[in-house]
């Protein structure tokens, strides 16, 4: 019974569809019936009543009764939340959300969280399996309380975002994965308008329309960000707004630059790249955008937007119409979400997944809501987990080309643990350039004549952000971590090159554990990683694809 409830809590993919939610409701109802039966057996057990007066056994009887009662209450709360969620989805579709139903769900999140908080009881004095089940319940209870708190905060933010307190306007920046900055180069834009739960969109276009001739006057650049990225003019040049890994600054920057260019103060900023668009298109189906010959689908979006649109363009071509269409496809996808019958839960979960992987970022100027966005992992910032143990590698295009479409990034860390518990991390970042060799000069392949001089030559600005409090030669505090000096790495077509960094973490071992957190750069093809740990004659290697924030731990017992 308890395993069934835990399985439902951890496998939430069923919530994406109405049929899945109905199946989950059926499972919860069955579990509740079992709990009611168990409770009836306990209430009617003469043996338990007798044992309950025996010294030492009374605690076990009370503990059993409390556990069953708490399981019953949890199941009923789960059913209430599920029915409230189904009511919300029945009254909503895509980007047209029933605000009263959403508000009711938020109220239920709050009430359920309060009740589950009171249900977390100590297992002290309990024996054997009863103690094990009590501890297991309490662990799940703590997790549920945390998730309910996030749900309550998210509901409050979404109500504000959707215009519960008045209409809103949000700047949507298309982040181009073929010309990477930390999150991609912001070369196109559109606008979202929210009112009374409904989202509408209006097409923007290329950021050429928003070109500035001087820095935005109301944007203050943090000192360390200025030191690291000031030469790129991040408050004047749209392509440079995402050079920093701190989207809370980038969002403010984009808002200020948009205001300077248009006279309009938007209520927030959303950054979205091609990978996130692919996920949305899996919900909406294909969209048609003027100037693109074929419908854009989840299968062809990357090829069309990051490759085909640039093919055949001569060097120095304008970024104008049909060259930077990412935000226009985003606008079409949002429109399709509104007119289609997209399940609002499936949409919310898709957005949450893309935000967790840094393919979708949100900035809100209201501090309360910005904190909520950060807590939900949707801020795009890299210091949300454990900044004293976090690493982040970004490779940014130093050329005026669209070559990141062809570039793979591989990260290799060798971690050496010293006897004093400090860790030395040697990081190698390998770039492999799959661009075709021997092609004529072009807008897509270059060269730009400034940083590249051969068609297809890629020059990557390689950045390593290391843990806060670590030691890096020449490192500066930036984006909440410690940024090492950049390494510029030219890579000819068909070749590879590497950049090397070294980081020292004093007192890296805490509670007999080494913990390292790796934040991804949201590339079209995720960075690969390999971490090799050497300590006291033992060695261990872990590897994978850095698609989302990844925490690795190693135990060191004395």
């Amino acid at each position: 019974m308890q395993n069934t409830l835990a399985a439902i809590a951890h496998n939430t993919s069923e919530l994406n569809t109405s049929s899945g939610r109905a199946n989950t409701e059926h499972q919860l109802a069955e579990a509740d019936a079992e709990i009611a039966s168990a409770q009836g057996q306990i209430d009617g057990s003469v043996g338990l009543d007798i044992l309950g007066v025996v010294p030492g056994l009374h605690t076990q009887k009370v503990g059993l009764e409390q556990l069953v009662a708490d399981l019953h209450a949890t199941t009923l709360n789960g059913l209430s939340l599920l029915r409230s969620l189904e009511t919300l989805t029945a009254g909503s579709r895509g980007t047209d959300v029933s605000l009263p139903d959403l508000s009711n769900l938020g109220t239920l999140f709050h009430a359920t969280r309060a009740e589950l908080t009171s249900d977390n009881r100590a297992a002290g004095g309990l024996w054997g399996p009863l103690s094990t089940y009590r501890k297991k319940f309490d662990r799940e209870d703590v997790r549920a309380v945390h998730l309910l708190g996030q749900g309550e905060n998210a509901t409050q933010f979404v109500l504000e975002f959707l215009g519960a307190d008045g209409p809103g306007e949000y700047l949507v920046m298309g982040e181009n994965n073929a010309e990477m900055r930390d999150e991609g180069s912001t070369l196109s834009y559109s606008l979202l308008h929210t009112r009374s739960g409904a989202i509408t969109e209006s097409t923007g276009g290329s950021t050429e329309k928003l070109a500035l001739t001087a820095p935005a006057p109301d944007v203050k650049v943090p000192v360390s960000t200025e030191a690291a990225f000031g030469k790129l003019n991040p408050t004047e040049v749209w392509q440079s707004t995402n050079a920093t890994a701190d989207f809370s600054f980038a969002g403010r920057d984009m808002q200020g630059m948009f205001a300077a260019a248009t006279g309009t103060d938007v209520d927030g900023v959303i950054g979205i790249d091609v990978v996130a668009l692919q996920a949305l298109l899996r919900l909406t189906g294909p969209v048609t955008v003027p100037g693109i010959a074929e419908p854009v689908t989840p299968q062809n979006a990357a090829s069309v937007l990051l490759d085909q649109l640039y093919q055949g363009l001569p060097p120095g071509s304008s970024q104008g119409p049909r060259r930077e269409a990412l935000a226009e496809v985003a606008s079409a996808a949002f429109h399709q979400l509104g007119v289609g019958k997209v399940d609002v839960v499936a949409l919310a979960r898709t957005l949450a997944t893309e935000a967790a992987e840094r393919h979708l970022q949100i900035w809100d100027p209201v501090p309360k809501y910005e904190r909520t966005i950060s807590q939900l992992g949707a801020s795009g910032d890299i210091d949300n987990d454990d900044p004293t143990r976090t690493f982040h590698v970004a490779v940014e295009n130093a050329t005026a080309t669209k070559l990141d479409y062809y570039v793979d990034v591989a990260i290799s860390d060798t971690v050496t643990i010293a006897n004093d518990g400090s860790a030395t991390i040697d990081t190698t970042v390998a770039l492999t350039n799959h661009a075709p060799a021997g092609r004529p000069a072009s807008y897509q392949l270059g060269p730009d004549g400034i940083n590249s001089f051969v068609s297809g030559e890629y020059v990557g600005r390689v950045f390593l952000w290391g843990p806060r409090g670590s030691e890096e030669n020449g490192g500066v505090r930036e984006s909440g971590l410690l940024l090492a000096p950049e390494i510029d790495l030219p890579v000819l077509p068909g070749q590879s090159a590497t950049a090397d960094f070294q980081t020292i973490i004093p007192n890296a071992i805490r509670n007999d554990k080494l913990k390292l957190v790796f934040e991804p750069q949201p590339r079209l093809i995720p960075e690969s990683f390999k971490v090799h740990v050497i300590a006291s004659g033992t060695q261990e290697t872990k590897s994978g694809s850095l698609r989302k924030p990844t925490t690795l731990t190693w135990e060191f017992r004395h």
Side-chain angles (χ1 to χ4, degrees), residues 396-465:
E396 305 190 8
N397 194 340
T399 68
T401 64
K402 307 300 180 187
L403 280 167
D404 281 281
Y405 181 76
Y406 297 102
V407 175
D408 290 340
V409 178
I411 305 165
S412 179
D413 288 310
T414 299
V415 183
T416 305
I417 307 298
N419 291 334
D420 63 0
S422 64
T424 299
I425 297 92
D426 292 297
T427 300
T428 297
V429 182
L431 310 186
T432 301
N433 182 1
H434 298 289
R439 296 287 180 87
S442 69
Y443 177 72
Q444 181 182 32
L445 301 177
D448 64 6
I450 301 172
N451 291 324
S452 63
F453 301 93
V454 176
S455 175
E457 180 183 17
Y458 182 77
V459 180
R461 294 188 179 104
V462 185
F463 294 96
L464 172 72
W465 281 264

Coordinates of all heavy atoms in Angstrom, one line a residue, residues 396-465:
E396 N 31.5 29.8 -26.1 CA 30.7 30.9 -26.8 C 31.4 31.2 -28.1 O 32.7 31.3 -28.2 CB 30.6 32.1 -25.9 CG 30.0 31.7 -24.5 CD 29.7 33.0 -23.7 OE1 29.8 34.1 -24.2 OE2 29.3 32.8 -22.5
N397 N 30.7 31.4 -29.1 CA 31.2 31.7 -30.5 C 31.8 33.1 -30.5 O 31.2 34.1 -30.3 CB 30.0 31.6 -31.5 CG 30.5 31.5 -32.9 OD1 31.6 31.9 -33.2 ND2 29.7 31.0 -33.8
A398 N 33.1 33.1 -30.9 CA 33.8 34.4 -31.0 C 33.8 34.9 -32.4 O 34.4 36.0 -32.7 CB 35.3 34.2 -30.5
T399 N 33.1 34.2 -33.3 CA 33.1 34.7 -34.7 C 31.7 35.1 -35.1 O 30.7 34.6 -34.5 CB 33.6 33.6 -35.7 OG1 32.6 32.5 -35.7 CG2 34.9 33.0 -35.2
A400 N 31.6 35.9 -36.1 CA 30.2 36.3 -36.6 C 29.8 35.2 -37.6 O 29.7 35.5 -38.9 CB 30.3 37.7 -37.3
T401 N 29.5 34.0 -37.1 CA 29.1 32.9 -38.0 C 28.0 32.1 -37.3 O 27.7 32.4 -36.1 CB 30.3 31.9 -38.2 OG1 30.7 31.4 -37.0 CG2 31.5 32.6 -38.9
K402 N 27.5 31.0 -37.9 CA 26.5 30.1 -37.3 C 27.1 28.7 -37.2 O 26.5 27.7 -37.5 CB 25.3 30.1 -38.2 CG 24.7 31.5 -38.5 CD 24.3 32.3 -37.3 CE 23.8 33.6 -37.7 NZ 23.5 34.5 -36.5
L403 N 28.3 28.7 -36.6 CA 29.0 27.4 -36.6 C 28.8 26.5 -35.4 O 29.1 25.3 -35.5 CB 30.5 27.7 -36.7 CG 31.1 28.0 -38.1 CD1 32.5 28.6 -38.1 CD2 31.0 26.8 -39.0
D404 N 28.1 27.0 -34.4 CA 27.9 26.1 -33.2 C 27.0 24.9 -33.6 O 27.0 23.9 -32.9 CB 27.3 26.9 -32.1 CG 28.3 27.7 -31.3 OD1 29.0 27.1 -30.5 OD2 28.4 28.9 -31.6
Y405 N 26.2 25.0 -34.6 CA 25.4 23.9 -35.1 C 26.3 22.7 -35.4 O 25.9 21.5 -35.3 CB 24.7 24.3 -36.4 CG 23.8 23.3 -37.0 CD1 22.6 22.9 -36.5 CD2 24.2 22.6 -38.2 CE1 21.8 22.0 -37.0 CE2 23.4 21.6 -38.8 CZ 22.2 21.3 -38.2 OH 21.4 20.4 -38.8
Y406 N 27.6 22.9 -35.7 CA 28.5 21.8 -36.1 C 29.5 21.4 -35.0 O 30.3 20.6 -35.2 CB 29.4 22.3 -37.3 CG 28.6 22.5 -38.6 CD1 28.3 23.8 -39.0 CD2 28.1 21.5 -39.3 CE1 27.5 24.1 -40.1 CE2 27.4 21.7 -40.5 CZ 27.1 23.0 -40.9 OH 26.4 23.2 -42.0
V407 N 29.4 22.1 -33.8 CA 30.5 22.0 -32.8 C 30.0 21.1 -31.6 O 28.9 21.3 -31.1 CB 30.9 23.3 -32.3 CG1 31.9 23.2 -31.1 CG2 31.6 24.1 -33.4
D408 N 30.8 20.1 -31.3 CA 30.5 19.3 -30.1 C 31.5 19.7 -29.0 O 32.6 20.0 -29.2 CB 30.7 17.8 -30.4 CG 29.7 17.2 -31.3 OD1 28.6 17.8 -31.4 OD2 29.9 16.2 -31.9
V409 N 31.0 19.6 -27.7 CA 31.8 20.0 -26.5 C 31.8 18.8 -25.6 O 30.8 18.2 -25.3 CB 31.2 21.2 -25.8 CG1 32.0 21.5 -24.6 CG2 31.1 22.4 -26.7
A410 N 33.1 18.4 -25.2 CA 33.3 17.3 -24.3 C 34.1 17.8 -23.1 O 35.1 18.5 -23.3 CB 34.0 16.1 -24.9
I411 N 33.6 17.5 -21.9 CA 34.3 18.0 -20.6 C 34.8 16.8 -19.9 O 34.2 15.8 -19.7 CB 33.3 18.7 -19.7 CG1 32.6 19.8 -20.5 CG2 33.9 19.2 -18.5 CD1 31.3 20.4 -19.8
S412 N 36.1 16.9 -19.5 CA 36.8 15.8 -18.8 C 37.4 16.4 -17.5 O 38.2 17.3 -17.7 CB 37.8 15.1 -19.7 OG 38.5 14.1 -19.0
D413 N 37.0 15.9 -16.4 CA 37.6 16.4 -15.1 C 38.4 15.2 -14.4 O 37.8 14.1 -14.3 CB 36.5 16.8 -14.2 CG 35.8 18.1 -14.6 OD1 36.5 19.0 -14.9 OD2 34.6 18.1 -14.7
T414 N 39.5 15.6 -14.0 CA 40.3 14.7 -13.1 C 40.4 15.3 -11.7 O 40.9 16.4 -11.6 CB 41.7 14.4 -13.7 OG1 41.6 13.8 -15.0 CG2 42.5 13.5 -12.7
V415 N 39.8 14.6 -10.8 CA 39.7 15.1 -9.4 C 40.7 14.3 -8.5 O 40.6 13.1 -8.3 CB 38.3 15.0 -8.9 CG1 38.2 15.6 -7.5 CG2 37.3 15.6 -9.8
T416 N 41.7 15.1 -8.0 CA 42.7 14.4 -7.1 C 42.4 14.9 -5.7 O 42.5 16.1 -5.4 CB 44.1 14.8 -7.5 OG1 44.3 14.4 -8.9 CG2 45.1 14.0 -6.7
I417 N 42.2 13.9 -4.8 CA 41.9 14.3 -3.4 C 43.2 14.2 -2.6 O 43.9 13.1 -2.6 CB 40.8 13.3 -2.8 CG1 39.6 13.3 -3.6 CG2 40.5 13.7 -1.3 CD1 38.9 14.6 -3.7
A418 N 43.6 15.2 -1.9 CA 44.8 15.2 -1.0 C 44.4 14.7 0.3 O 43.3 14.6 0.7 CB 45.3 16.7 -1.0
N419 N 45.5 14.4 1.1 CA 45.3 13.9 2.5 C 44.6 14.9 3.4 O 43.9 14.5 4.4 CB 46.7 13.5 3.1 CG 47.3 12.4 2.4 OD1 46.6 11.5 1.8 ND2 48.7 12.3 2.4
D420 N 44.7 16.2 3.1 CA 44.0 17.2 3.9 C 42.6 17.4 3.6 O 41.9 18.3 4.1 CB 44.8 18.5 3.9 CG 44.8 19.1 2.5 OD1 44.2 18.6 1.6 OD2 45.4 20.2 2.4
G421 N 42.1 16.6 2.6 CA 40.7 16.7 2.2 C 40.4 17.7 1.1 O 39.2 17.9 0.7
S422 N 41.4 18.4 0.6 CA 41.2 19.3 -0.5 C 41.2 18.6 -1.8 O 41.6 17.4 -1.9 CB 42.3 20.4 -0.5 OG 43.6 19.8 -0.8
A423 N 40.6 19.2 -2.8 CA 40.5 18.5 -4.1 C 41.0 19.5 -5.2 O 40.7 20.6 -5.2 CB 39.0 18.2 -4.4
T424 N 41.9 18.9 -6.0 CA 42.4 19.6 -7.2 C 41.6 19.0 -8.4 O 41.7 17.8 -8.7 CB 43.9 19.4 -7.4 OG1 44.5 20.0 -6.2 CG2 44.4 20.1 -8.6
I425 N 41.0 19.9 -9.2 CA 40.2 19.5 -10.3 C 40.8 20.0 -11.6 O 40.9 21.3 -11.8 CB 38.7 20.0 -10.2 CG1 38.0 19.4 -9.0 CG2 37.9 19.6 -11.5 CD1 38.1 20.2 -7.8
D426 N 41.3 19.2 -12.4 CA 41.9 19.5 -13.7 C 40.8 19.3 -14.8 O 40.4 18.1 -15.0 CB 43.2 18.7 -14.0 CG 44.3 19.1 -13.1 OD1 44.7 20.2 -13.1 OD2 44.7 18.2 -12.3
T427 N 40.4 20.4 -15.4 CA 39.3 20.3 -16.4 C 39.8 20.5 -17.8 O 40.5 21.5 -18.0 CB 38.2 21.4 -16.1 OG1 37.7 21.2 -14.8 CG2 37.1 21.3 -17.1
T428 N 39.5 19.6 -18.6 CA 39.9 19.7 -20.1 C 38.6 19.8 -20.9 O 37.7 19.0 -20.7 CB 40.7 18.5 -20.6 OG1 41.9 18.4 -19.9 CG2 40.9 18.6 -22.0
V429 N 38.5 20.8 -21.7 CA 37.3 21.1 -22.5 C 37.7 20.9 -23.9 O 38.6 21.6 -24.5 CB 36.7 22.5 -22.3 CG1 35.5 22.7 -23.2 CG2 36.4 22.7 -20.8
A430 N 37.2 19.8 -24.6 CA 37.5 19.5 -26.0 C 36.4 20.0 -26.9 O 35.2 19.7 -26.7 CB 37.7 18.0 -26.1
L431 N 36.8 20.7 -28.0 CA 35.9 21.1 -29.0 C 36.2 20.4 -30.3 O 37.3 20.3 -30.7 CB 36.0 22.6 -29.3 CG 36.0 23.6 -28.1 CD1 36.0 25.0 -28.6 CD2 34.8 23.4 -27.2
T432 N 35.2 19.8 -30.9 CA 35.3 19.2 -32.2 C 34.4 19.9 -33.2 O 33.2 20.0 -33.0 CB 34.9 17.7 -32.1 OG1 35.7 17.0 -31.1 CG2 35.1 17.0 -33.4
N433 N 35.0 20.3 -34.3 CA 34.4 21.1 -35.3 C 34.0 20.2 -36.5 O 34.9 19.7 -37.2 CB 35.2 22.2 -35.7 CG 34.6 23.1 -36.8 OD1 33.5 22.9 -37.2 ND2 35.3 24.2 -37.2
H434 N 32.7 19.9 -36.7 CA 32.3 19.0 -37.8 C 31.9 19.8 -39.0 O 31.2 19.2 -40.0 CB 31.1 18.2 -37.3 CG 31.4 17.3 -36.2 ND1 32.2 16.1 -36.3 CD2 31.1 17.3 -34.9 CE1 32.3 15.5 -35.1 NE2 31.6 16.2 -34.2
A435 N 32.2 21.1 -39.1 CA 31.8 21.9 -40.3 C 32.5 21.4 -41.5 O 33.7 20.9 -41.4 CB 32.2 23.4 -40.0
P436 N 31.9 21.5 -42.7 CA 32.5 21.0 -43.9 C 33.7 21.8 -44.3 O 33.7 23.1 -44.1 CB 31.4 21.1 -44.9 CG 30.4 22.1 -44.4 CD 30.5 22.0 -42.9
A437 N 34.7 21.2 -44.7 CA 36.0 21.9 -45.1 C 35.9 22.2 -46.6 O 35.2 21.6 -47.4 CB 37.2 21.0 -44.8
G438 N 36.6 23.2 -47.0 CA 36.8 23.6 -48.4 C 35.6 24.3 -49.0 O 35.6 24.4 -50.3
R439 N 34.7 24.7 -48.2 CA 33.5 25.4 -48.8 C 33.8 26.9 -49.1 O 34.7 27.5 -48.4 CB 32.3 25.3 -47.9 CG 31.8 23.9 -47.6 CD 31.1 23.4 -48.8 NE 30.6 22.0 -48.6 CZ 29.4 21.7 -48.0 NH1 28.6 22.7 -47.6 NH2 29.0 20.5 -47.9
P440 N 33.1 27.5 -50.0 CA 33.3 29.0 -50.2 C 32.9 29.8 -48.9 O 32.1 29.3 -48.1 CB 32.4 29.3 -51.4 CG 32.1 28.0 -52.0 CD 32.1 26.9 -50.9
A441 N 33.4 30.9 -48.8 CA 33.1 31.8 -47.7 C 31.6 32.1 -47.7 O 30.9 32.2 -48.8 CB 33.8 33.1 -47.8
S442 N 31.0 32.1 -46.5 CA 29.5 32.3 -46.5 C 29.2 32.9 -45.1 O 30.0 33.0 -44.2 CB 28.8 31.0 -46.6 OG 29.0 30.1 -45.5
Y443 N 27.9 33.4 -45.0 CA 27.4 34.0 -43.8 C 27.4 32.9 -42.7 O 27.7 33.2 -41.5 CB 26.0 34.4 -44.0 CG 25.2 35.0 -42.8 CD1 25.5 36.2 -42.3 CD2 24.2 34.3 -42.3 CE1 24.9 36.7 -41.2 CE2 23.4 34.8 -41.2 CZ 23.8 36.0 -40.7 OH 23.1 36.5 -39.6
Q444 N 27.1 31.7 -43.0 CA 27.0 30.6 -42.1 C 28.4 30.1 -41.6 O 28.6 29.9 -40.4 CB 26.3 29.4 -42.7 CG 26.1 28.2 -41.8 CD 25.4 27.1 -42.5 OE1 25.5 26.9 -43.7 NE2 24.6 26.3 -41.7
L445 N 29.3 29.9 -42.6 CA 30.6 29.3 -42.3 C 31.8 30.3 -42.1 O 32.8 29.9 -41.6 CB 31.0 28.3 -43.4 CG 30.0 27.2 -43.6 CD1 30.5 26.3 -44.8 CD2 29.8 26.3 -42.4
G446 N 31.5 31.6 -42.4 CA 32.6 32.5 -42.3 C 33.5 32.4 -43.5 O 33.2 31.8 -44.5
P447 N 34.8 32.9 -43.4 CA 35.3 33.6 -42.2 C 34.8 35.0 -42.0 O 34.3 35.6 -43.0 CB 36.8 33.6 -42.4 CG 36.9 33.7 -43.9 CD 35.8 32.9 -44.5
D448 N 34.9 35.5 -40.8 CA 34.4 36.9 -40.5 C 35.5 37.9 -40.8 O 35.3 39.1 -40.7 CB 33.8 37.0 -39.1 CG 34.8 36.8 -38.0 OD1 36.0 36.6 -38.3 OD2 34.4 36.7 -36.8
G449 N 36.8 37.4 -41.0 CA 37.9 38.3 -41.2 C 38.4 39.1 -40.0 O 39.3 39.9 -40.1
I450 N 37.8 38.8 -38.9 CA 38.2 39.4 -37.6 C 38.8 38.4 -36.7 O 40.0 38.5 -36.2 CB 37.0 40.1 -36.9 CG1 36.4 41.1 -37.8 CG2 37.4 40.7 -35.6 CD1 35.1 41.7 -37.3
N451 N 38.1 37.3 -36.4 CA 38.6 36.3 -35.5 C 38.8 34.9 -36.3 O 39.5 34.0 -35.8 CB 37.6 36.0 -34.3 CG 37.6 37.2 -33.3 OD1 38.7 37.8 -33.1 ND2 36.5 37.5 -32.8
S452 N 38.2 34.8 -37.4 CA 38.4 33.6 -38.2 C 38.8 34.0 -39.7 O 38.3 35.0 -40.2 CB 37.1 32.8 -38.3 OG 36.1 33.5 -38.9
F453 N 39.6 33.2 -40.3 CA 40.2 33.5 -41.6 C 40.1 32.4 -42.6 O 40.6 32.5 -43.7 CB 41.7 34.0 -41.4 CG 41.8 35.1 -40.5 CD1 42.0 35.0 -39.1 CD2 41.6 36.4 -40.9 CE1 42.1 36.0 -38.2 CE2 41.7 37.5 -40.1 CZ 41.9 37.3 -38.7
V454 N 39.5 31.3 -42.2 CA 39.3 30.2 -43.1 C 37.8 29.8 -43.0 O 37.2 29.7 -41.9 CB 40.2 28.9 -42.7 CG1 39.9 27.7 -43.6 CG2 41.6 29.3 -42.8
S455 N 37.2 29.5 -44.2 CA 35.8 29.1 -44.2 C 35.6 27.8 -43.3 O 36.3 26.8 -43.4 CB 35.3 28.7 -45.6 OG 34.0 28.2 -45.6
G456 N 34.7 27.9 -42.3 CA 34.4 26.8 -41.4 C 35.2 26.8 -40.2 O 35.0 26.0 -39.3
E457 N 36.2 27.8 -40.1 CA 37.0 27.9 -38.8 C 36.2 28.4 -37.7 O 35.5 29.4 -37.8 CB 38.2 28.8 -39.0 CG 39.1 28.9 -37.8 CD 40.2 29.9 -38.0 OE1 40.2 30.7 -38.9 OE2 41.2 29.8 -37.2
Y458 N 36.2 27.7 -36.6 CA 35.4 28.1 -35.4 C 36.4 28.6 -34.4 O 37.5 28.0 -34.2 CB 34.7 26.9 -34.8 CG 33.9 27.2 -33.6 CD1 32.6 27.8 -33.7 CD2 34.3 26.8 -32.3 CE1 31.8 28.0 -32.6 CE2 33.5 27.1 -31.2 CZ 32.3 27.7 -31.3 OH 31.5 27.9 -30.2
V459 N 36.0 29.6 -33.7 CA 36.8 30.1 -32.5 C 35.9 30.2 -31.3 O 34.9 30.9 -31.3 CB 37.4 31.5 -32.8 CG1 38.3 32.0 -31.6 CG2 38.3 31.5 -34.1
G460 N 36.2 29.3 -30.4 CA 35.4 29.3 -29.2 C 36.0 30.1 -28.0 O 37.2 29.9 -27.7
R461 N 35.2 30.9 -27.4 CA 35.6 31.5 -26.1 C 35.2 30.4 -25.0 O 34.0 30.2 -24.8 CB 34.9 32.8 -25.8 CG 35.3 33.9 -26.8 CD 34.8 35.2 -26.3 NE 35.2 36.3 -27.2 CZ 34.4 36.9 -28.1 NH1 33.1 36.5 -28.2 NH2 34.8 37.8 -28.9
V462 N 36.2 29.8 -24.4 CA 35.9 28.7 -23.4 C 35.9 29.3 -22.0 O 36.9 29.9 -21.6 CB 36.9 27.6 -23.6 CG1 36.5 26.4 -22.7 CG2 36.9 27.1 -25.0
F463 N 34.8 29.1 -21.3 CA 34.7 29.7 -20.0 C 34.5 28.5 -19.0 O 33.7 27.6 -19.3 CB 33.5 30.6 -19.9 CG 33.7 31.9 -20.7 CD1 33.1 32.0 -21.9 CD2 34.4 33.0 -20.2 CE1 33.3 33.1 -22.7 CE2 34.6 34.1 -20.9 CZ 34.0 34.2 -22.2
L464 N 35.1 28.6 -17.8 CA 34.8 27.7 -16.7 C 34.5 28.5 -15.5 O 35.2 29.3 -15.0 CB 36.1 26.8 -16.4 CG 35.9 26.0 -15.1 CD1 35.0 24.8 -15.4 CD2 37.3 25.4 -14.7
W465 N 33.2 28.3 -15.0 CA 32.8 28.8 -13.7 C 33.1 27.7 -12.7 O 32.5 26.5 -12.8 CB 31.4 29.2 -13.7 CG 31.1 30.5 -14.3 CD1 30.9 31.7 -13.7 CD2 30.8 30.8 -15.7 NE1 30.6 32.7 -14.6 CE2 30.5 32.1 -15.8 CE3 30.8 30.0 -16.9 CZ2 30.2 32.7 -17.1 CZ3 30.4 30.5 -18.1 CH2 30.2 31.9 -18.2

